[in-house]
Amino acid sequence: MSPATHPDFDHVDTWIFDLDLTLYTPEHNIMEQVRNRIAAYVEDYFKVDGERAHKIRYDYWRKYGTTLGGLMAEHGVDPHGYLDFVHDVDMSLLQPCKRLRAGIEALPGRKLIFTNADAPYAERVLMARGLEGVFEDIFDIHRMEHKPKPASDSYHALCTQLGIEPASALFVEDSAHNLEPAKSLGMTTIWVNHSGNAESGDARPHYVDHEIADVASWLAGEKE
């Protein structure tokens, strides 16, 4: 049974989706490119080797929600130049997914993107996946005032600026820890658990309502 007709989701009128590794899978290799671009930026900025750069990248991601958050907080890095650099990746590795588009379009109510990336990059991803025109709005890192998920301020800003009632909203996200603030606000939470992806998470946390392996399959009502 698809979410559009499932009784567990009768209360939902706003469907919020993360972008990277939620609307496509790790096999598309987009985030691997982004991570390598982030490491290249860090390597150049700190004049360290690649191994050290990846450790800094990951440590800042864990502490601040994004590597950018750490670079801004501790070093005053300009977010615009940074994002232009790290998002310069090959989108041809993504392919349109008609099943994904049909599943999202079938959802009753509003559809939104909530991403730690910026809107221009998000629009490129959506175009590559054949999802242009599907989402009402993109709430990006700039609109969060560069306080990335899981900063609670950004979840409040999302709801305030876009007029979202959390109790009737559902959030789909691959990084489990990003679901905790959503759940605390009263949202229904869906964890896209990419098994073996260290940055997705491990065991299912208490603030996850439902766990899925693939968004397109979940939307189609397929057993996973």
Side-chain angles (χ1 to χ4, degrees), residues 24-42:
Y24 62 83
T25 60
E27 290 75 23
H28 288 98
N29 203 38
I30 299 299
M31 276 310 294
E32 186 64 25
Q33 291 184 75
V34 172
R35 290 170 187 153
N36 287 337
R37 295 287 291 175
I38 293 171
Y41 185 98
V42 170

Side-chain angles (χ1 to χ4, degrees), residues 44-61:
D44 180 69
Y45 187 87
F46 291 105
K47 309 304 179 189
V48 297
D49 62 23
E51 182 177 355
R52 176 61 179 161
H54 272 290
K55 185 178 189 307
I56 293 170
R57 174 195 69 77
Y58 183 76
D59 288 347
Y60 279 165
W61 177 81

Side-chain angles (χ1 to χ4, degrees), residues 2-223:
S2 76
T5 57
H6 199 291
D8 284 356
F9 307 117
D10 281 347
H11 67 290
V12 176
D13 64 16
T14 304
W15 306 80
I16 306 166
F17 290 82
D18 173 51
L19 182 79
D20 289 310
L21 298 177
T22 295
L23 297 181
Y24 62 83
T25 60
E27 290 75 23
H28 288 98
N29 203 38
I30 299 299
M31 276 310 294
E32 186 64 25
Q33 291 184 75
V34 172
R35 290 170 187 153
N36 287 337
R37 295 287 291 175
I38 293 171
Y41 185 98
V42 170
E43 186 174 341
D44 180 69
Y45 187 87
F46 291 105
K47 309 304 179 189
V48 297
D49 62 23
E51 182 177 355
R52 176 61 179 161
H54 272 290
K55 185 178 189 307
I56 293 170
R57 174 195 69 77
Y58 183 76
D59 288 347
Y60 279 165
W61 177 81
R62 291 297 301 175
K63 183 176 180 180
Y64 292 96
T66 61
T67 304
L68 172 60
L71 291 171
M72 290 182 67
E74 299 190 13
H75 306 282
V77 164
D78 170 57
H80 297 278
Y82 169 91
L83 290 168
D84 287 346
F85 180 86
V86 304
H87 288 153
D88 185 15
V89 298
D90 180 10
M91 289 289 175
S92 69
L93 299 173
L94 290 177
Q95 301 297 325
C97 181
K98 292 181 179 180
R99 186 175 62 144
L100 179 60
R101 183 182 181 104
I104 296 173
E105 287 183 325
L107 297 172
R110 307 170 72 192
K111 297 98 172 179
L112 305 166
I113 296 290
F114 183 29
T115 176
N116 282 344
D118 61 3
Y121 167 80
E123 288 166 356
R124 291 171 60 211
V125 171
L126 295 177
M127 181 70 70
R129 288 294 272 162
L131 297 173
E132 65 278 7
V134 171
F135 295 95
E136 174 187 320
D137 207 345
I138 298 170
F139 201 83
D140 74 345
I141 190 66
H142 298 306
R143 294 172 75 177
M144 297 179 204
E145 297 184 348
H146 308 111
K147 298 174 183 176
K149 296 177 291 182
S152 60
D153 285 355
S154 293
Y155 294 72
H156 287 285
L158 168 76
C159 293
T160 299
Q161 293 183 34
L162 299 187
I164 297 168
E165 172 51 56
S168 60
L170 178 147
F171 183 36
V172 185
E173 162 78 64
D174 71 287
S175 293
H177 63 275
N178 286 344
L179 292 168
E180 187 168 14
K183 186 62 181 175
S184 70
L185 285 174
M187 293 184 186
T188 300
T189 55
I190 308 290
W191 179 29
V192 187
N193 182 6
H194 300 301
S195 179
N197 185 338
E199 296 189 12
S200 182
D202 298 310
R204 176 174 167 177
H206 65 89
Y207 46 80
V208 170
D209 293 317
H210 302 274
E211 182 178 339
I212 64 174
D214 176 74
V215 172
S217 297
W218 170 65
L219 291 172
E222 298 173 5
K223 292 184 178 180

